[in-house]
Every structure is written in structure tokens, then in C-alpha cells.
Amino acid sequence: MSGPLDVSVEREGIVAASPQDVWRALTEPELRVEIFSMVTQAVTEDGVPGEVGHVLQMMERDAGSEPSVVRLTTVVSEPYRRLVQERTGPDGHFTSTTLLAEEGTGTLVKRVFHVFHPEPSLAERAMRKAIVTFFSLGGTVRLKADIGDLTRHFA
């Protein structure tokens, strides 16, 4: 098995809020804690929320596990349209992209988790199928929870 390790997981949903309100929910630390059920604490470590270079440090809690520290670094910011963040935590290092589009009385929120290793280690190559399955299942659960939390908050 040669070649890169390249996996994406995506989910989308309609949220009854403006793109500006959804953007704030994704970028402002106090709203991350208020809205997202997995986030128990969030603080700005560096930069300005919603701008390139912003680093958000969060405590996340998955059901049945101990809280863990996650860092989100904003690498692309197109306010109210596209937010790309590099995510680093115990579940690995990957990209989180959120696309927002005004639609009717709400916002279409599309979230994509993407992991890419151009030259995976020998162990990663051997475990490729397990890694893909684990990332896909975990990403699906997390993205469904995120979109569900946004939907409930703005309902």
C-alpha cells in the first residue's frame, strides 16, 4: 500500500440563523462553550476570533471519555462564507472546513473534516483501513453533533 493517507468526512444541515450568527458561533470562544455540547471550556490563545492566525484552545469531552485539550488555528477566513481551521488534539491533526451559504430563512452549514498525510509511516500504511474507518466514524459523530448543536441553539 503506497501513496498518501487521504480521508474526508462531511455533513451538512440547515440552521435557522444568519451566516453572521453561525460564523460567531464557530469563532467566538464563549459561544463555542454555550452552543457546542462537546466543548466545556474555550479561550483565545492568540489572535482575533474569526481572523487568520487565531488560535482557540478548547477542552472537549466525548461521551464516556475524559476531557481533552484541542487547538484550532484559523488558516483561511472568508467571513460568513468559509472558515478553515487546523485542528490538533488527541484524535490527531486534521483540517476542519466550514462553508456557509444563506438559504431561505436560514444558513446551509457544510462541515468537512480532512486528514492528509503525504508520506504515512509504515505503521500508518499497515493500519490504513483501521485509521480510515476510525476517522470516518469519529468524524461523522462529531460533525452530526456539531450541526445538531447549532440547529438546536438557533431553533
Side-chain angles (χ1 to χ4, degrees), residues 24-43:
R24 285 185 55 240
L26 295 168
T27 59
E28 293 184 16
E30 64 278 1
L31 290 176
R32 292 295 291 226
V33 174
E34 179 182 329
I35 296 170
F36 295 95
S37 59
M38 291 183 178
V39 179
T40 60
Q41 181 183 14
V43 295

Side-chain angles (χ1 to χ4, degrees), residues 18-24 26-27 50 76-84 96-102 107-112:
S18 69
Q20 292 83 354
D21 288 339
V22 175
W23 181 266
R24 285 185 55 240
L26 295 168
T27 59
V76 175
S77 177
E78 295 174 22
Y80 322 124
R81 292 185 38 226
R82 183 169 77 127
L83 179 67
V84 181
S96 169
T97 300
T98 304
L99 303 167
L100 306 174
E102 198 160 0
T107 299
L108 174 64
V109 179
K110 180 176 182 179
R111 302 211 57 215
V112 181

Side-chain angles (χ1 to χ4, degrees), residues 58-100:
M58 305 183 305
M59 289 293 287
E60 279 192 345
R61 172 188 45 80
D62 287 331
S65 69
E66 293 296 316
S68 57
V69 176
V70 173
R71 293 179 81 230
L72 291 176
T73 303
T74 300
V75 294
V76 175
S77 177
E78 295 174 22
Y80 322 124
R81 292 185 38 226
R82 183 169 77 127
L83 179 67
V84 181
Q85 297 169 306
E86 293 295 323
R87 177 187 166 93
T88 304
D91 50 357
H93 178 83
F94 56 92
T95 302
S96 169
T97 300
T98 304
L99 303 167
L100 306 174

